[in-house]
Amino acid sequence: KADPSWDGQLVQTSTVEFKDGVAVKTRAAFRAYDSFAESFTDYVRFLQTNPRYQKALAAAQDPVAYVEELQRAGYATDPAYAAKLKRIMGSEDLAQIREQLKGAGPRPI
């Protein structure tokens, strides 16, 4: 999302936010980027410059612990955020992609 400190491009879109455990449809401003690389760079900068995400960054070598710490730090309003990401990480589709990329080495985005 684009908080008040963001001075880059924006896109307005519908989203679901959880308030007091209740899903509420709303429109919100999100950060917009010209490339995947720009998005990833900003994501890392955002986490590194926000002290509340330090435990998540310290757990980055363990993807499950990382997403759990992101949720604990309040990264998303969805109370099932970490569970959803862990389900995706454990999916057969993602396992197939990992297998295809084994030994491929780094690739530009």
XYZ file of all heavy atoms in Angstrom:
855
model
N 0.832 -1.190 0.000
C 0.000 0.000 0.000
C 0.870 1.244 0.000
O 2.021 1.203 0.374
C -0.867 0.008 1.245
C -2.023 -0.915 1.161
C -3.092 -0.376 2.050
C -4.243 -1.289 2.024
N -4.904 -1.315 3.289
N 0.250 2.324 -0.364
C 0.956 3.600 -0.385
C 0.566 4.405 0.851
O -0.546 4.904 0.941
C 0.616 4.366 -1.651
N 1.481 4.486 1.796
C 1.210 5.304 2.977
C 1.533 6.762 2.637
O 2.031 7.051 1.549
C 1.994 4.781 4.187
C 3.494 4.888 4.029
O 3.969 5.543 3.086
O 4.214 4.315 4.856
N 1.258 7.680 3.548
C 1.477 9.105 3.236
C 2.922 9.462 2.873
O 3.153 10.471 2.209
C 1.054 9.818 4.520
C 0.088 8.883 5.173
C 0.590 7.502 4.835
N 3.884 8.646 3.275
C 5.282 8.962 2.966
C 5.650 8.615 1.519
O 6.695 9.046 1.032
C 6.224 8.208 3.919
O 6.190 6.815 3.648
N 4.829 7.866 0.825
C 5.121 7.443 -0.548
C 4.909 8.615 -1.498
O 3.846 9.229 -1.525
C 4.222 6.272 -0.935
C 4.397 5.805 -2.341
C 3.496 5.905 -3.362
C 5.531 5.137 -2.893
N 3.995 5.347 -4.501
C 5.249 4.871 -4.246
C 6.757 4.750 -2.382
C 6.153 4.225 -5.085
C 7.658 4.099 -3.221
C 7.355 3.841 -4.554
N 5.946 8.921 -2.311
C 5.802 10.014 -3.272
C 5.946 9.531 -4.706
O 6.147 10.308 -5.622
C 6.792 11.142 -2.964
C 8.240 10.705 -3.136
O 8.506 9.519 -3.406
O 9.130 11.569 -3.003
N 5.813 8.215 -4.912
C 5.903 7.643 -6.247
C 4.537 7.476 -6.894
O 3.540 8.050 -6.454
N 4.517 6.662 -7.939
C 3.290 6.401 -8.676
C 2.295 5.622 -7.812
O 2.697 4.847 -6.955
C 3.598 5.580 -9.924
C 4.528 6.257 -10.908
C 4.866 5.320 -12.048
O 4.003 4.970 -12.831
N 6.130 4.914 -12.113
N 1.013 5.842 -8.095
C -0.056 5.175 -7.344
C -1.049 4.515 -8.291
O -1.228 4.957 -9.416
C -0.839 6.197 -6.515
C -0.112 6.955 -5.426
C -1.018 8.042 -4.870
C 0.304 6.005 -4.321
N -1.700 3.500 -7.773
C -2.844 2.905 -8.451
C -3.920 2.684 -7.392
O -3.622 2.211 -6.291
C -2.474 1.603 -9.190
C -1.986 0.532 -8.243
C -3.644 1.095 -10.008
N -5.133 3.096 -7.700
C -6.265 2.897 -6.799
C -6.955 1.599 -7.204
O -7.222 1.387 -8.385
C -7.272 4.055 -6.923
C -6.776 5.369 -6.402
C -6.899 5.480 -4.888
O -7.678 4.795 -4.255
N -6.092 6.358 -4.320
N -7.256 0.752 -6.227
C -7.938 -0.495 -6.542
C -8.782 -0.959 -5.364
O -8.567 -0.524 -4.235
C -6.918 -1.592 -6.949
O -7.626 -2.708 -7.483
C -6.062 -2.019 -5.789
N -9.712 -1.848 -5.660
C -10.525 -2.448 -4.604
C -9.680 -3.457 -3.846
O -8.830 -4.134 -4.425
C -11.730 -3.158 -5.208
O -12.566 -2.242 -5.859
N -9.919 -3.543 -2.556
C -9.185 -4.470 -1.717
C -10.066 -4.863 -0.538
O -11.103 -4.264 -0.300
C -7.850 -3.853 -1.235
O -7.084 -4.843 -0.555
C -8.067 -2.660 -0.338
N -9.649 -5.890 0.161
C -10.345 -6.308 1.373
C -9.406 -6.072 2.541
O -8.264 -6.527 2.530
C -10.758 -7.798 1.313
C -11.363 -8.244 2.631
C -11.729 -8.028 0.172
N -9.871 -5.336 3.514
C -9.119 -5.092 4.738
C -9.896 -5.715 5.891
O -11.119 -5.812 5.840
C -8.946 -3.598 4.987
C -8.120 -2.881 3.948
C -6.679 -3.353 3.885
O -6.134 -3.778 4.927
O -6.094 -3.292 2.801
N -9.172 -6.127 6.909
C -9.814 -6.693 8.091
C -9.761 -5.666 9.205
O -8.693 -5.167 9.547
C -9.114 -7.987 8.509
C -9.431 -9.126 7.585
C -8.788 -9.257 6.369
C -10.393 -10.058 7.928
C -9.081 -10.300 5.508
C -10.707 -11.102 7.076
C -10.049 -11.225 5.866
N -10.930 -5.351 9.747
C -11.036 -4.421 10.869
C -11.765 -5.139 11.982
O -12.902 -5.590 11.797
C -11.783 -3.153 10.443
C -10.999 -2.387 9.396
C -11.662 -1.112 8.995
C -10.805 -0.546 7.869
N -11.101 0.733 7.452
N -11.076 -5.296 13.108
C -11.636 -6.046 14.245
C -12.059 -7.451 13.821
O -13.101 -7.953 14.242
C -12.807 -5.295 14.883
C -12.386 -3.934 15.415
O -11.276 -3.834 15.975
O -13.158 -2.968 15.259
N -11.271 -8.066 12.935
C -11.533 -9.439 12.492
C -12.599 -9.581 11.433
O -12.915 -10.689 11.012
N -13.150 -8.472 10.960
C -14.217 -8.504 9.963
C -13.673 -8.003 8.619
O -13.054 -6.932 8.557
C -15.420 -7.631 10.405
C -16.505 -7.608 9.343
C -15.968 -8.125 11.733
N -13.921 -8.765 7.556
C -13.481 -8.371 6.216
C -14.363 -7.234 5.703
O -15.588 -7.322 5.741
C -13.554 -9.556 5.268
N -13.704 -6.167 5.226
C -14.413 -4.998 4.720
C -13.846 -4.651 3.342
O -12.637 -4.447 3.203
C -14.232 -3.789 5.674
C -14.919 -2.556 5.120
C -14.710 -4.112 7.066
N -14.720 -4.591 2.322
C -14.269 -4.170 0.997
C -14.083 -2.666 0.998
O -14.913 -1.924 1.535
C -15.296 -4.559 -0.067
C -15.305 -6.021 -0.391
C -16.233 -6.308 -1.551
C -16.178 -7.792 -1.874
N -16.998 -8.105 -3.050
N -12.988 -2.229 0.396
C -12.688 -0.804 0.349
C -11.832 -0.514 -0.885
O -11.408 -1.438 -1.583
C -11.949 -0.369 1.642
O -11.823 1.048 1.644
C -10.596 -1.014 1.775
N -11.576 0.733 -1.152
C -10.626 1.128 -2.205
C -9.423 1.731 -1.499
O -9.577 2.440 -0.504
C -11.243 2.131 -3.173
C -12.274 1.476 -4.078
C -12.728 2.350 -5.222
N -11.728 2.772 -6.173
C -11.207 2.018 -7.149
N -11.563 0.763 -7.263
N -10.326 2.507 -7.995
N -8.264 1.443 -2.036
C -7.048 1.957 -1.414
C -6.013 2.266 -2.487
O -6.069 1.743 -3.600
C -6.490 0.936 -0.427
N -5.076 3.111 -2.116
C -3.963 3.461 -2.995
C -2.816 2.484 -2.744
O -2.451 2.231 -1.601
C -3.518 4.890 -2.729
N -2.260 1.961 -3.823
C -1.115 1.061 -3.751
C 0.032 1.665 -4.531
O -0.167 2.404 -5.501
C -1.472 -0.312 -4.331
C -2.354 -1.128 -3.434
C -3.722 -0.921 -3.405
C -1.807 -2.100 -2.604
C -4.542 -1.669 -2.564
C -2.621 -2.847 -1.766
C -3.991 -2.629 -1.749
N 1.235 1.328 -4.108
C 2.425 1.772 -4.817
C 2.445 1.128 -6.203
O 2.077 -0.025 -6.351
C 3.681 1.364 -4.043
C 3.771 2.037 -2.687
C 4.919 1.480 -1.870
N 4.969 2.120 -0.578
C 6.083 2.330 0.106
N 7.251 1.931 -0.367
N 6.042 2.940 1.272
N 2.880 1.882 -7.194
C 2.986 1.367 -8.557
C 4.432 1.508 -9.017
O 5.126 2.460 -8.637
C 2.051 2.145 -9.482
N 4.876 0.561 -9.829
C 6.277 0.514 -10.252
C 6.386 0.300 -11.751
O 5.480 -0.249 -12.371
C 7.009 -0.625 -9.526
C 6.898 -0.532 -8.026
C 5.922 -1.236 -7.337
C 7.756 0.278 -7.307
C 5.801 -1.146 -5.957
C 7.661 0.383 -5.926
C 6.679 -0.334 -5.262
O 6.567 -0.237 -3.898
N 7.526 0.680 -12.289
C 7.783 0.479 -13.710
C 8.349 -0.904 -14.017
O 8.390 -1.306 -15.175
C 8.756 1.548 -14.232
C 8.119 2.935 -14.244
O 6.898 3.029 -14.500
O 8.840 3.922 -13.994
N 8.791 -1.627 -12.970
C 9.376 -2.950 -13.203
C 9.271 -3.803 -11.943
O 9.079 -3.277 -10.837
C 10.855 -2.818 -13.584
O 11.612 -2.374 -12.465
N 9.406 -5.113 -12.126
C 9.446 -6.024 -10.983
C 10.635 -5.674 -10.093
O 10.532 -5.661 -8.873
C 9.560 -7.486 -11.427
C 8.310 -8.037 -12.042
C 8.320 -8.495 -13.341
C 7.129 -8.098 -11.322
C 7.171 -9.009 -13.914
C 5.972 -8.610 -11.880
C 5.989 -9.069 -13.187
N 11.777 -5.407 -10.719
C 12.996 -5.101 -9.963
C 12.784 -3.879 -9.064
O 13.191 -3.881 -7.898
C 14.169 -4.878 -10.909
N 12.136 -2.853 -9.600
C 11.866 -1.645 -8.808
C 10.954 -1.983 -7.620
O 11.167 -1.508 -6.503
C 11.201 -0.601 -9.707
C 11.050 0.759 -9.081
C 10.389 1.744 -10.038
O 10.659 1.705 -11.245
O 9.592 2.559 -9.533
N 9.973 -2.843 -7.854
C 9.063 -3.258 -6.791
C 9.797 -4.013 -5.697
O 9.621 -3.745 -4.506
C 7.958 -4.141 -7.390
O 7.208 -4.760 -6.386
N 10.629 -4.972 -6.077
C 11.366 -5.769 -5.088
C 12.336 -4.905 -4.293
O 12.472 -5.063 -3.078
C 12.120 -6.918 -5.756
C 11.213 -7.939 -6.398
C 11.520 -8.457 -7.638
C 10.057 -8.379 -5.770
C 10.689 -9.395 -8.235
C 9.228 -9.316 -6.350
C 9.546 -9.831 -7.592
N 13.000 -3.982 -4.980
C 13.938 -3.083 -4.302
C 13.214 -2.233 -3.267
O 13.685 -2.073 -2.135
C 14.657 -2.186 -5.328
O 15.402 -3.023 -6.211
C 15.579 -1.189 -4.646
N 12.047 -1.726 -3.618
C 11.291 -0.904 -2.677
C 10.759 -1.733 -1.521
O 10.734 -1.273 -0.379
C 10.142 -0.186 -3.394
C 9.434 0.794 -2.482
O 10.113 1.654 -1.878
O 8.203 0.682 -2.338
N 10.337 -2.961 -1.797
C 9.846 -3.864 -0.740
C 10.937 -4.089 0.304
O 10.700 -3.960 1.509
C 9.414 -5.187 -1.368
C 9.050 -6.279 -0.387
C 7.857 -6.224 0.332
C 9.884 -7.368 -0.193
C 7.512 -7.223 1.221
C 9.545 -8.381 0.696
C 8.363 -8.304 1.400
O 8.027 -9.292 2.281
N 12.140 -4.400 -0.146
C 13.264 -4.624 0.773
C 13.572 -3.357 1.552
O 13.739 -3.392 2.774
C 14.509 -5.129 0.006
C 15.732 -5.152 0.903
C 14.248 -6.510 -0.581
N 13.618 -2.221 0.860
C 13.886 -0.943 1.539
C 12.816 -0.657 2.587
O 13.124 -0.251 3.709
C 13.941 0.204 0.524
C 14.326 1.550 1.150
C 13.749 2.745 0.401
N 12.315 2.675 0.192
C 11.386 2.923 1.134
N 11.731 3.251 2.353
N 10.102 2.849 0.849
N 11.554 -0.895 2.233
C 10.451 -0.663 3.161
C 10.628 -1.489 4.434
O 10.500 -0.976 5.544
C 9.118 -1.007 2.476
C 7.936 -0.911 3.381
C 7.387 0.317 3.696
C 7.363 -2.052 3.924
C 6.290 0.408 4.541
C 6.267 -1.973 4.762
C 5.729 -0.739 5.078
N 10.942 -2.758 4.288
C 11.118 -3.618 5.460
C 12.350 -3.217 6.267
O 12.306 -3.173 7.500
C 11.217 -5.081 5.045
C 9.970 -5.692 4.412
C 10.240 -7.147 4.035
C 8.757 -5.585 5.312
N 13.451 -2.929 5.577
C 14.696 -2.602 6.274
C 14.618 -1.281 7.032
O 15.318 -1.102 8.018
C 15.859 -2.555 5.278
C 16.263 -3.916 4.785
C 17.383 -3.854 3.757
O 17.581 -2.846 3.071
N 18.116 -4.946 3.638
N 13.784 -0.363 6.594
C 13.721 0.948 7.250
C 12.600 1.040 8.280
O 12.415 2.106 8.880
C 13.553 2.076 6.206
O 12.359 1.863 5.461
C 14.760 2.144 5.284
N 11.867 -0.044 8.486
C 10.803 -0.069 9.489
C 11.195 -1.020 10.609
O 11.207 -2.240 10.421
C 9.478 -0.510 8.858
C 8.850 0.588 8.051
O 8.224 1.474 8.603
N 9.048 0.541 6.739
N 11.522 -0.487 11.780
C 11.986 -1.328 12.887
C 11.046 -2.478 13.246
O 11.500 -3.525 13.685
C 12.110 -0.342 14.059
C 12.292 0.987 13.418
C 11.509 0.933 12.131
N 9.753 -2.305 13.024
C 8.830 -3.380 13.411
C 9.020 -4.659 12.607
O 8.528 -5.712 13.005
C 7.381 -2.898 13.342
C 6.840 -2.708 11.955
C 5.439 -2.147 12.039
N 4.727 -2.308 10.787
C 3.510 -1.884 10.596
N 2.853 -1.275 11.579
N 2.912 -2.053 9.451
N 9.743 -4.597 11.479
C 9.957 -5.788 10.654
C 11.315 -6.444 10.880
O 11.683 -7.376 10.168
C 9.791 -5.446 9.175
C 8.410 -4.922 8.862
C 8.232 -3.645 8.359
C 7.282 -5.701 9.103
C 6.963 -3.152 8.091
C 6.013 -5.210 8.843
C 5.871 -3.943 8.332
O 4.612 -3.462 8.076
N 12.068 -5.998 11.876
C 13.408 -6.539 12.094
C 13.404 -8.030 12.433
O 14.275 -8.769 11.998
C 14.146 -5.729 13.157
C 14.436 -4.295 12.729
C 15.022 -4.192 11.325
O 16.085 -4.731 11.058
N 14.313 -3.535 10.429
N 12.416 -8.488 13.207
C 12.342 -9.917 13.526
C 12.068 -10.731 12.270
O 12.600 -11.829 12.105
C 11.279 -10.195 14.581
C 11.670 -9.781 15.972
C 10.615 -10.188 16.978
C 11.004 -9.769 18.377
N 9.989 -10.147 19.368
N 11.244 -10.216 11.383
C 10.968 -10.915 10.125
C 12.248 -11.005 9.296
O 12.582 -12.074 8.776
C 9.878 -10.203 9.341
N 12.975 -9.913 9.191
C 14.217 -9.922 8.417
C 15.243 -10.877 9.028
O 15.969 -11.562 8.301
C 14.786 -8.516 8.305
C 13.956 -7.549 7.462
C 14.523 -6.137 7.557
C 13.873 -8.015 6.020
N 15.279 -10.942 10.354
C 16.213 -11.858 11.020
C 15.853 -13.319 10.736
O 16.716 -14.191 10.807
C 16.219 -11.600 12.526
N 14.590 -13.571 10.386
C 14.126 -14.934 10.116
C 14.074 -15.238 8.617
O 13.529 -16.265 8.211
C 12.745 -15.140 10.734
N 14.631 -14.383 7.790
C 14.488 -14.495 6.338
C 15.016 -15.800 5.750
O 14.581 -16.212 4.680
C 15.156 -13.305 5.656
N 15.928 -16.469 6.432
C 16.448 -17.743 5.919
C 15.438 -18.876 6.067
O 15.593 -19.923 5.471
C 17.768 -18.108 6.614
C 18.890 -17.143 6.323
C 19.190 -17.019 4.843
O 19.277 -18.010 4.126
N 19.316 -15.797 4.360
N 14.400 -18.655 6.863
C 13.342 -19.645 7.081
C 12.030 -19.025 6.588
O 11.426 -18.220 7.299
C 13.246 -19.985 8.565
C 12.135 -20.968 8.894
O 11.299 -21.286 8.023
O 12.099 -21.412 10.053
N 11.594 -19.364 5.368
C 10.412 -18.717 4.795
C 9.163 -18.788 5.674
O 8.398 -17.821 5.742
C 10.196 -19.451 3.476
C 11.532 -20.017 3.134
C 12.184 -20.332 4.447
N 8.945 -19.900 6.364
C 7.768 -20.032 7.225
C 7.860 -19.054 8.394
O 6.916 -18.315 8.682
C 7.598 -21.484 7.714
C 6.537 -21.586 8.797
C 7.261 -22.403 6.540
N 9.009 -19.017 9.057
C 9.192 -18.088 10.169
C 9.097 -16.641 9.689
O 8.534 -15.785 10.375
C 10.534 -18.333 10.850
N 9.621 -16.373 8.504
C 9.588 -15.021 7.935
C 8.151 -14.517 7.789
O 7.820 -13.430 8.258
C 10.309 -15.012 6.585
C 10.207 -13.716 5.836
C 10.908 -12.595 6.252
C 9.399 -13.611 4.708
C 10.812 -11.385 5.570
C 9.292 -12.413 4.015
C 10.000 -11.318 4.449
O 9.900 -10.129 3.774
N 7.280 -15.311 7.149
C 5.909 -14.839 6.940
C 5.143 -14.755 8.255
O 4.292 -13.877 8.428
C 5.133 -15.658 5.885
C 5.816 -15.558 4.532
C 4.933 -17.100 6.291
N 5.464 -15.640 9.193
C 4.819 -15.561 10.511
C 5.223 -14.272 11.232
O 4.392 -13.605 11.851
C 5.157 -16.793 11.345
C 4.470 -18.048 10.837
C 4.943 -19.325 11.507
O 5.982 -19.302 12.212
O 4.280 -20.357 11.306
N 6.506 -13.916 11.144
C 6.975 -12.674 11.772
C 6.407 -11.443 11.068
O 6.093 -10.451 11.726
C 8.501 -12.620 11.802
C 9.131 -13.588 12.776
C 8.766 -13.320 14.234
O 8.369 -12.187 14.589
O 8.875 -14.262 15.026
N 6.255 -11.501 9.748
C 5.619 -10.388 9.044
C 4.206 -10.171 9.572
O 3.794 -9.040 9.820
C 5.548 -10.662 7.530
C 6.760 -10.338 6.684
C 6.475 -10.660 5.223
C 7.195 -8.898 6.834
N 3.470 -11.268 9.737
C 2.103 -11.142 10.242
C 2.099 -10.592 11.663
O 1.328 -9.692 11.980
C 1.373 -12.474 10.191
C -0.060 -12.337 10.679
C -0.919 -13.539 10.385
O -0.545 -14.418 9.638
N -2.080 -13.580 10.989
N 2.974 -11.125 12.510
C 3.038 -10.626 13.895
C 3.352 -9.132 13.941
O 2.884 -8.419 14.819
C 4.085 -11.400 14.694
C 3.561 -12.660 15.348
C 4.522 -13.211 16.369
N 5.513 -14.109 15.842
C 5.284 -15.362 15.446
N 4.079 -15.859 15.505
N 6.257 -16.115 14.996
N 4.148 -8.665 12.983
C 4.539 -7.251 12.943
C 3.442 -6.359 12.366
O 3.581 -5.143 12.360
C 5.823 -7.090 12.130
N 2.374 -6.961 11.856
C 1.275 -6.170 11.329
C 1.395 -5.804 9.873
O 0.797 -4.832 9.416
N 2.160 -6.591 9.093
C 2.350 -6.274 7.676
C 1.025 -6.271 6.912
O 0.830 -5.455 6.037
C 3.332 -7.266 7.042
C 3.636 -6.954 5.601
C 4.508 -5.933 5.264
C 3.027 -7.664 4.568
C 4.783 -5.625 3.945
C 3.289 -7.362 3.244
C 4.168 -6.348 2.935
O 4.429 -6.036 1.625
N 0.129 -7.192 7.236
C -1.171 -7.281 6.560
C -2.275 -7.306 7.605
O -2.070 -7.761 8.729
C -1.221 -8.548 5.701
N -3.452 -6.836 7.207
C -4.572 -6.850 8.146
C -5.271 -8.205 8.190
O -5.989 -8.489 9.137
C -5.616 -5.766 7.788
O -6.164 -6.036 6.493
C -4.997 -4.381 7.837
N -5.059 -9.039 7.188
C -5.707 -10.349 7.113
C -5.149 -11.260 8.202
O -3.953 -11.557 8.210
C -5.460 -10.959 5.738
C -6.170 -12.279 5.504
O -6.638 -12.904 6.483
O -6.257 -12.689 4.336
N -5.999 -11.733 9.120
C -5.495 -12.612 10.183
C -4.989 -13.953 9.665
O -4.266 -14.650 10.366
C -6.707 -12.791 11.109
C -7.893 -12.433 10.294
C -7.433 -11.460 9.249
N -5.318 -14.292 8.426
C -4.852 -15.550 7.829
C -3.709 -15.324 6.833
O -3.373 -16.213 6.060
C -6.019 -16.266 7.145
N -3.097 -14.149 6.869
C -2.039 -13.793 5.912
C -0.930 -14.845 5.868
O -0.606 -15.377 4.801
C -1.461 -12.421 6.283
C -0.291 -11.981 5.451
C -0.472 -11.514 4.165
C 1.006 -12.022 5.961
C 0.599 -11.100 3.390
C 2.084 -11.601 5.197
C 1.872 -11.147 3.919
O 2.934 -10.739 3.153
N -0.349 -15.155 7.009
C 0.762 -16.120 7.039
C 0.290 -17.498 6.597
O 0.987 -18.185 5.838
C 1.383 -16.181 8.431
N -0.875 -17.926 7.038
C -1.396 -19.247 6.657
C -1.590 -19.344 5.148
O -1.274 -20.377 4.537
C -2.706 -19.532 7.386
N -2.079 -18.288 4.539
C -2.282 -18.281 3.086
C -0.955 -18.381 2.353
O -0.815 -19.142 1.388
C -3.041 -17.026 2.656
C -4.490 -17.037 3.083
C -5.174 -15.724 2.746
C -6.631 -15.736 3.169
N -7.302 -14.447 2.904
N 0.037 -17.613 2.793
C 1.346 -17.670 2.144
C 2.003 -19.038 2.336
O 2.619 -19.567 1.402
C 2.260 -16.563 2.668
C 1.902 -15.155 2.217
C 2.868 -14.153 2.810
C 1.884 -15.042 0.710
N 1.852 -19.610 3.515
C 2.441 -20.939 3.759
C 1.761 -21.992 2.871
O 2.425 -22.898 2.375
C 2.341 -21.313 5.235
C 3.280 -20.483 6.096
C 3.313 -20.927 7.540
C 2.056 -20.566 8.267
N 2.143 -20.841 9.720
N 0.474 -21.848 2.647
C -0.238 -22.772 1.765
C 0.312 -22.650 0.333
O 0.536 -23.641 -0.347
C -1.742 -22.511 1.810
C -2.563 -23.553 1.114
C -4.060 -23.450 1.386
N -4.618 -22.110 1.192
C -5.091 -21.340 2.165
N -5.118 -21.759 3.415
N -5.577 -20.143 1.897
N 0.550 -21.430 -0.122
C 1.127 -21.216 -1.456
C 2.536 -21.803 -1.518
O 2.897 -22.483 -2.478
C 1.146 -19.716 -1.814
C -0.284 -19.211 -1.997
C 1.988 -19.454 -3.062
C -0.415 -17.699 -2.043
N 3.344 -21.549 -0.470
C 4.726 -22.058 -0.455
C 4.762 -23.581 -0.505
O 5.688 -24.157 -1.056
C 5.468 -21.556 0.788
C 5.763 -20.080 0.738
S 6.807 -19.473 2.090
C 5.822 -19.778 3.527
N 3.753 -24.228 0.056
C 3.712 -25.681 0.076
C 2.967 -26.288 -1.090
O 2.821 -27.512 -1.173
N 2.517 -25.459 -2.028
C 1.708 -25.962 -3.139
C 2.542 -26.775 -4.123
O 3.743 -26.565 -4.286
C 1.025 -24.809 -3.867
O 1.959 -24.089 -4.643
N 1.879 -27.689 -4.785
C 2.540 -28.522 -5.786
C 3.031 -27.684 -6.958
O 4.114 -27.931 -7.497
C 1.573 -29.599 -6.284
C 2.246 -30.619 -7.169
C 1.324 -31.774 -7.508
O 0.625 -32.266 -6.612
O 1.327 -32.159 -8.684
N 2.265 -26.671 -7.350
C 2.688 -25.810 -8.461
C 4.019 -25.126 -8.158
O 4.904 -25.077 -9.000
C 1.637 -24.739 -8.756
C 0.375 -25.308 -9.388
O 0.428 -26.430 -9.922
O -0.661 -24.624 -9.339
N 4.155 -24.616 -6.948
C 5.399 -23.946 -6.575
C 6.547 -24.952 -6.491
O 7.671 -24.647 -6.888
C 5.237 -23.189 -5.257
C 6.329 -22.195 -4.910
C 6.551 -21.181 -6.029
C 5.994 -21.473 -3.624
N 6.267 -26.152 -6.023
C 7.289 -27.193 -5.965
C 7.783 -27.518 -7.373
O 8.989 -27.724 -7.590
C 6.741 -28.435 -5.278
N 6.889 -27.555 -8.333
C 7.279 -27.835 -9.721
C 8.159 -26.716 -10.277
O 9.148 -26.972 -10.963
C 6.042 -28.018 -10.597
C 5.300 -29.308 -10.336
C 4.001 -29.409 -11.123
O 3.626 -28.484 -11.839
N 3.318 -30.529 -10.979
N 7.819 -25.497 -9.960
C 8.625 -24.361 -10.421
C 10.014 -24.428 -9.800
O 11.022 -24.227 -10.474
C 7.928 -23.024 -10.093
C 6.666 -22.880 -10.938
C 8.877 -21.842 -10.296
C 5.756 -21.747 -10.509
N 10.072 -24.714 -8.475
C 11.373 -24.840 -7.807
C 12.227 -25.902 -8.489
O 13.422 -25.704 -8.700
C 11.178 -25.198 -6.340
C 10.987 -24.025 -5.415
C 11.295 -24.441 -3.997
N 10.370 -24.219 -2.955
C 9.110 -24.605 -2.805
N 8.518 -25.274 -3.666
N 8.411 -24.322 -1.766
N 11.612 -27.024 -8.808
C 12.336 -28.132 -9.449
C 12.855 -27.705 -10.818
O 13.991 -28.005 -11.169
C 11.405 -29.345 -9.577
C 12.113 -30.623 -9.937
C 13.158 -31.057 -8.920
O 12.970 -30.841 -7.704
O 14.192 -31.598 -9.349
N 12.056 -26.985 -11.564
C 12.470 -26.522 -12.888
C 13.627 -25.529 -12.804
O 14.468 -25.470 -13.698
C 11.299 -25.870 -13.617
C 10.212 -26.841 -14.015
C 8.962 -26.132 -14.520
O 8.906 -24.902 -14.562
N 7.951 -26.899 -14.883
N 13.678 -24.764 -11.732
C 14.708 -23.735 -11.591
C 16.000 -24.248 -10.952
O 17.002 -23.543 -10.958
C 14.170 -22.560 -10.779
C 13.070 -21.744 -11.442
C 12.552 -20.684 -10.491
C 13.538 -21.128 -12.741
N 15.966 -25.457 -10.414
C 17.180 -26.005 -9.769
C 18.334 -25.994 -10.763
O 18.212 -26.436 -11.891
C 16.944 -27.443 -9.298
C 16.411 -27.527 -7.919
C 16.376 -28.966 -7.451
C 15.728 -29.036 -6.089
N 15.510 -30.416 -5.678
N 19.429 -25.448 -10.316
C 20.622 -25.424 -11.145
C 20.595 -24.380 -12.244
O 21.533 -24.262 -13.004
N 19.497 -23.620 -12.342
C 19.391 -22.633 -13.409
C 20.250 -21.403 -13.134
O 20.599 -20.681 -14.040
C 17.936 -22.217 -13.594
N 20.599 -21.180 -11.863
C 21.385 -20.005 -11.519
C 20.546 -18.746 -11.546
O 19.386 -18.769 -11.927
N 21.136 -17.634 -11.141
C 20.374 -16.379 -11.125
C 20.013 -15.943 -12.533
O 20.774 -16.156 -13.479
C 21.325 -15.391 -10.451
C 22.644 -16.028 -10.443
C 22.485 -17.493 -10.679
N 18.835 -15.340 -12.631
C 18.383 -14.810 -13.930
C 17.896 -13.392 -13.718
O 17.321 -13.084 -12.693
C 17.219 -15.646 -14.476
C 17.587 -17.089 -14.717
C 16.443 -17.870 -15.295
N 15.198 -17.632 -14.579
C 14.015 -17.919 -15.067
N 13.883 -18.426 -16.252
N 12.919 -17.691 -14.359
N 18.107 -12.548 -14.707
C 17.577 -11.173 -14.575
C 16.066 -11.200 -14.599
O 15.462 -12.076 -15.218
C 18.152 -10.447 -15.793
C 18.512 -11.520 -16.755
C 18.796 -12.756 -15.946
N 15.476 -10.241 -13.931
C 14.015 -10.156 -13.907
C 13.543 -9.352 -15.084
O 14.066 -8.388 -15.465
C 13.550 -9.513 -12.583
C 13.946 -10.419 -11.447
C 12.063 -9.246 -12.576
C 13.656 -9.851 -10.082
